[in-house]
Amino acid sequence: MSKPSRRSRGSITVQDVAREAGVSAMTVSRVVNGGTNVREATREAVLAAIAKLNYSPNSAARSLAAGEATQIGLLYSNPSAAYLSQFLIGALAAARRAGCHLVLEACEGERPEEQAEATRGFVQTHVQGVILPPPLSESGPVRAELEAAGIPWVSVAMGLPPEGSLNVRIDDFAAAAAMTRHLIDMGHRHIGFIRGNPNQTSSAERYRGFCAAIEEAGLELAAMPVEQGFFTFRSGIVASEAMLDLPKPPTAIFASNDDMAAAAVGVAHRRGLHVPQDLSVVGFDDTALATTMWPELTTVRQPIAAMAEAALTMLLDELRAPVRTDHAEQVLAHQLIVRESCAPPPKA
Amino acid sequence: MSKPSRRSRGSITVQDVAREAGVSAMTVSRVVNGGTNVREATREAVLAAIAKLNYSPNSAARSLAAGEATQIGLLYSNPSAAYLSQFLIGALAAARRAGCHLVLEACEGERPEEQAEATRGFVQTHVQGVILPPPLSESGPVRAELEAAGIPWVSVAMGLPPEGSLNVRIDDFAAAAAMTRHLIDMGHRHIGFIRGNPNQTSSAERYRGFCAAIEEAGLELAAMPVEQGFFTFRSGIVASEAMLDLPKPPTAIFASNDDMAAAAVGVAHRRGLHVPQDLSVVGFDDTALATTMWPELTTVRQPIAAMAEAALTMLLDELRAPVRTDHAEQVLAHQLIVRESCAPPPKA
DNA sequence: CAACTTTCTGCCAACGTTGTCGTCCGCCGT
DNA sequence: ACGGCGGACGACAACGTTGGCAGAAAGTTG
């Protein structure tokens, strides 16, 4: 017997499967991927051999041979940690299936130069494509830098994506409208709205959704208190205080994200208002925060992990496409999550 | 000119660098990794060529040729989302440097069979090693399954790791003692403690640290209210209510994690107690929650990302070691984060 | 200066997979 | 019945890197 090889990992390869099934390695490969032009009997034999030997393809060899994109960038700034972890889970799952690596890069700064800088650091590491979760999906400097380097990117969760961009999102407008309708259906007629950070188009879309539902119900939009927030907990405190200081405070507050909703609940408690008996509060995003507060928050759930997966898949399709596809958009379904922070308004 | 190759990626390879530097590909490889036995002049020439051509090694080819471990499992259950995102960031960074893939698997269930099941699913995907963040780092079924399959693993953040295990952690005992001392230094003499989930040894260690600091200060341990919690927000509510219902409630509450501390703050607010004027509350972990509440939480920060990196590195060392190293342990530094939820006790 | 040791460096093969292209076989139409 | 055609499959090379070995260069000693 010849000594096998100096550095054999002893793992099962296509060759082993091919021998077992009595076919060639190429046929095994064909069965494993897609499997066009393989006779049914052959396929079954191969599948049986795979099962018997417990074969799993070597992803390194696969990437090498196929010459596929292997480094995908993910530029994150500081969305809520809960958002990021869900996002990473989805992206990782898709990346592993595709056999590519995720390259993370943090971009903490707000300033344009900082964002451009982080992006350049990225370009130099030879990533073939970039995924941009919010709020960076809307950052001008980042996109300009990628454009200049000729690197394709996918924006995630933009409210209103520009024409010709690759993006994955939910329908912020419809979700916000549905939430507003839920409040109206409960009997609220005086609803405060805390807007999101204006640097994201989803803020505007959510506000639009709110307005549309109000008018659709025949209520007077101008009578609704609206405060500007910035998606941060602190901005939520300021906005809610302003709202509750009004001569006629609202009976419900719709905050554009969970952090600000949590702030509203905190402010209400501090003023001796009970939630939801005295004041209903609802949020948006369904982050972990929504269930680590009391009462638990009624909110809108985005399928974050699924959005990340869709983004990565879209990006890989783009990279592997022989010709540049001009534009792709995917809108995933959101979900209204009803918990305990919302009740009919107190009797006047 | 000969047409290059049917599937040339046009990327820079070692060959290009070698040609540019006037050496062989092997020498380039040696310079890139470690660079033992290369003359200084040669090294410089190679580095110059690398810089000039902007070369970056192909990780797929590298993994393939070196035959290194490429699939590392990460079995996560449901620690706080903030914890997981930090953990993933650290693990991903290390994984990319090492050129290996992270395989995630969720393990939501509490029941032993569910945990064993999730682990088996893992074993079948041919992961070479597994990282176990808390609370799974202490799960008997998971570890038994891995042991049976002969897959090495690294436990992260166990309080008191067993002999002969690979693990990365902080000193929970010292951290809890330091936090307790901080409260005592502020003047508190009557401090309540909410214990963590008994399924994790870090809970016991944190409690030990608390006790040690109390006795060290000459206070009577038996006089301190202690309630059992389970690291969840809800368990924190129950524990804090019990504590504040006491005839002589404590002036400060030390919760074994941030979620339970947030619950304590919520309960206090609901009873009209101001934090920190009437009651000080401190937590442990420094998750995102600590800064999305009001007041912001004094807590202990674990270097989560660094722990994940250390765990992955340790695991790879283990896998590549020719002989099984018997035992490795790494204790990273924690940090006391002082914020606003803590003040001297009210005058009696 | 010769003989020997040590440090460097290059050639070849191998890692496990997929793309290309050619061959073979059977089926169909005429 | 024969030529053509297309589907199924295999042989071979290539992907970019690293390990083993051998040979060259440099340094050391008598």
Side-chain angles (χ1 to χ4, degrees):
Chain A
M1 54 165 83
S2 64
K3 133 173 72 170
S5 161
R6 65 209 140 97
R7 49 181 158 154
S8 148
R9 252 74 82 212
S11 58
I12 311 292
T13 76
V14 267
Q15 303 296 344
D16 301 317
V17 176
R19 198 169 21 247
E20 175 74 24
V23 298
S24 77
M26 193 58 225
T27 301
V28 175
S29 174
R30 271 190 277 256
V31 170
V32 172
N33 331 349
T36 54
N37 288 354
V38 176
R39 224 181 337 169
E40 197 52 36
T42 313
R43 176 203 309 287
E44 276 165 20
V46 171
L47 289 177
I50 287 176
K52 177 174 176 196
L53 297 178
N54 192 16
Y55 163 77
S56 82
N58 177 321
S59 69
R62 180 182 288 205
S63 305
L64 179 58
E68 288 171 342
T70 60
Q71 310 262 74
I72 298 298
L74 176 49
L75 190 63
Y76 65 95
S77 89
N78 200 11
S80 100
Y83 190 94
L84 187 57
S85 86
Q86 283 305 103
F87 200 89
L88 286 178
I89 288 170
L92 267 171
R96 190 170 74 84
R97 269 203 301 279
C100 68
H101 283 220
L102 233 43
V103 181
L104 298 194
E105 178 105 19
C107 171
E108 294 303 344
E110 284 282 328
R111 302 206 320 279
E113 317 92 82
E114 288 176 286
Q115 299 187 348
E117 181 55 38
T119 315
R120 269 194 295 276
F122 231 179
V123 171
Q124 280 161 6
T125 47
H126 302 279
V127 300
Q128 281 106 344
V130 173
I131 298 180
L132 256 28
L136 258 18
S137 38
E138 321 223 5
S139 158
V142 169
R143 290 157 66 185
E145 207 65 46
L146 291 174
E147 188 85 52
I151 297 178
W153 76 90
V154 179
S155 302
V156 179
M158 292 183 82
L160 200 64
E163 278 299 311
S165 70
L166 297 171
N167 70 86
V168 176
R169 61 190 185 93
I170 61 166
D171 189 339
D172 285 288
F173 174 86
M179 178 62 91
T180 307
R181 262 180 240 116
H182 175 69
L183 290 172
I184 295 171
D185 288 350
M186 277 201 155
H188 294 277
R189 292 294 175 268
H190 195 208
I191 303 173
F193 187 83
I194 305 180
R195 305 183 63 161
N197 194 324
N199 72 1
Q200 289 165 61
T201 49
S202 56
S203 302
E205 283 299 290
R206 290 176 193 178
Y207 181 58
R208 265 204 332 120
F210 169 75
C211 296
I214 291 291
E215 298 192 321
E216 169 194 297
L219 301 177
E220 193 187 348
L221 182 57
M224 303 299 163
V226 174
E227 292 289 333
Q228 181 67 56
F230 301 92
F231 284 143
T232 63
F233 187 79
R234 284 185 176 276
S235 73
I237 292 181
V238 175
S240 330
E241 301 239 329
M243 219 169 258
L244 296 177
D245 277 341
L246 290 174
K248 189 178 171 231
T251 61
I253 293 181
F254 179 3
S256 290
N257 78 342
D258 288 350
D259 285 45
M260 297 194 297
V265 171
V267 167
H269 278 161
R270 227 178 117 212
R271 296 179 172 224
L273 294 173
H274 286 244
V275 176
Q277 295 87 340
D278 303 323
L279 177 72
S280 288
V281 176
V282 299
F284 203 109
D285 285 348
D286 196 30
T287 57
L289 190 54
T291 51
T292 50
M293 51 184 289
W294 190 90
E296 294 190 350
L297 204 58
T298 290
T299 186
V300 173
R301 176 179 297 167
Q302 303 191 44
I304 301 174
M307 289 168 80
E309 291 203 42
L312 187 55
T313 306
M314 184 182 286
L315 190 52
L316 291 176
D317 284 349
E318 167 78 10
L319 287 170
R320 286 168 193 174
V323 290
R324 237 190 111 70
T325 55
D326 205 26
H327 168 215
E329 168 165 304
Q330 207 167 336
V331 179
L332 274 61
H334 58 265
Q335 196 184 351
L336 196 64
I337 305 289
V338 177
R339 296 209 183 87
E340 300 142 24
S341 69
C342 187
K347 316 265 182 317
Chain B
M1 58 165 85
S2 62
K3 132 174 71 168
S5 161
R6 61 209 144 101
R7 51 181 154 152
S8 151
R9 251 74 82 211
S11 58
I12 309 291
T13 76
V14 269
Q15 305 295 345
D16 301 317
V17 176
R19 200 170 17 248
E20 174 74 23
V23 297
S24 77
M26 193 57 224
T27 301
V28 175
S29 174
R30 271 189 277 256
V31 170
V32 172
N33 332 347
T36 54
N37 286 355
V38 177
R39 222 184 337 168
E40 198 51 34
T42 312
R43 175 204 310 288
E44 277 165 20
V46 171
L47 288 177
I50 289 176
K52 179 175 174 193
L53 298 178
N54 195 15
Y55 163 77
S56 81
N58 178 321
S59 69
R62 181 183 287 206
S63 306
L64 178 58
E68 289 172 343
T70 62
Q71 311 262 75
I72 298 298
L74 175 50
L75 191 64
Y76 65 95
S77 91
N78 200 10
S80 100
Y83 191 93
L84 187 57
S85 85
Q86 283 305 104
F87 199 89
L88 286 178
I89 288 170
L92 266 172
R96 190 172 71 88
R97 269 202 301 280
C100 67
H101 282 221
L102 232 43
V103 182
L104 298 195
E105 178 105 21
C107 173
E108 293 305 344
E110 284 282 328
R111 301 206 321 279
E113 318 92 84
E114 288 175 286
Q115 300 188 346
E117 181 56 40
T119 314
R120 269 194 296 276
F122 232 177
V123 171
Q124 280 160 6
T125 46
H126 301 280
V127 300
Q128 281 105 344
V130 173
I131 298 181
L132 255 32
L136 257 18
S137 37
E138 322 223 3
S139 158
V142 170
R143 290 157 66 186
E145 208 64 45
L146 291 174
E147 187 87 52
I151 296 178
W153 75 89
V154 178
S155 302
V156 178
M158 294 183 78
L160 200 64
E163 279 298 311
S165 70
L166 296 172
N167 71 86
V168 176
R169 61 188 184 93
I170 61 164
D171 188 339
D172 284 288
F173 174 85
M179 178 62 90
T180 309
R181 262 180 240 118
H182 175 69
L183 292 172
I184 295 172
D185 288 350
M186 278 198 156
H188 293 276
R189 293 293 174 269
H190 195 207
I191 305 172
F193 187 84
I194 305 180
R195 304 183 63 162
N197 194 322
N199 72 1
Q200 289 164 60
T201 50
S202 57
S203 301
E205 283 298 290
R206 290 175 193 179
Y207 181 58
R208 267 210 325 125
F210 169 75
C211 295
I214 291 291
E215 297 193 320
E216 171 193 296
L219 302 177
E220 196 187 346
L221 182 57
M224 304 297 163
V226 174
E227 290 290 332
Q228 181 69 55
F230 300 92
F231 285 143
T232 63
F233 186 80
R234 284 185 178 277
S235 73
I237 293 181
V238 176
S240 331
E241 302 239 327
M243 221 170 254
L244 296 176
D245 277 340
L246 291 174
K248 189 182 170 227
T251 61
I253 293 181
F254 180 3
S256 291
N257 78 344
D258 288 348
D259 286 42
M260 297 194 296
V265 171
V267 168
H269 279 162
R270 227 177 118 216
R271 297 182 171 221
L273 293 173
H274 285 247
V275 176
Q277 295 86 342
D278 303 324
L279 177 72
S280 289
V281 176
V282 298
F284 202 109
D285 285 347
D286 195 30
T287 57
L289 190 54
T291 53
T292 51
M293 52 184 285
W294 191 89
E296 295 191 347
L297 204 57
T298 291
T299 185
V300 173
R301 176 179 297 165
Q302 302 191 44
I304 301 173
M307 288 168 81
E309 292 205 41
L312 185 54
T313 306
M314 185 182 287
L315 189 53
L316 291 175
D317 285 349
E318 168 79 11
L319 287 169
R320 286 167 192 175
V323 290
R324 238 188 111 70
T325 54
D326 204 25
H327 166 217
E329 170 164 303
Q330 206 166 336
V331 179
L332 273 61
H334 57 264
Q335 195 183 352
L336 195 64
I337 306 289
V338 177
R339 296 205 185 87
E340 299 143 24
S341 69
C342 187
K347 316 262 181 323

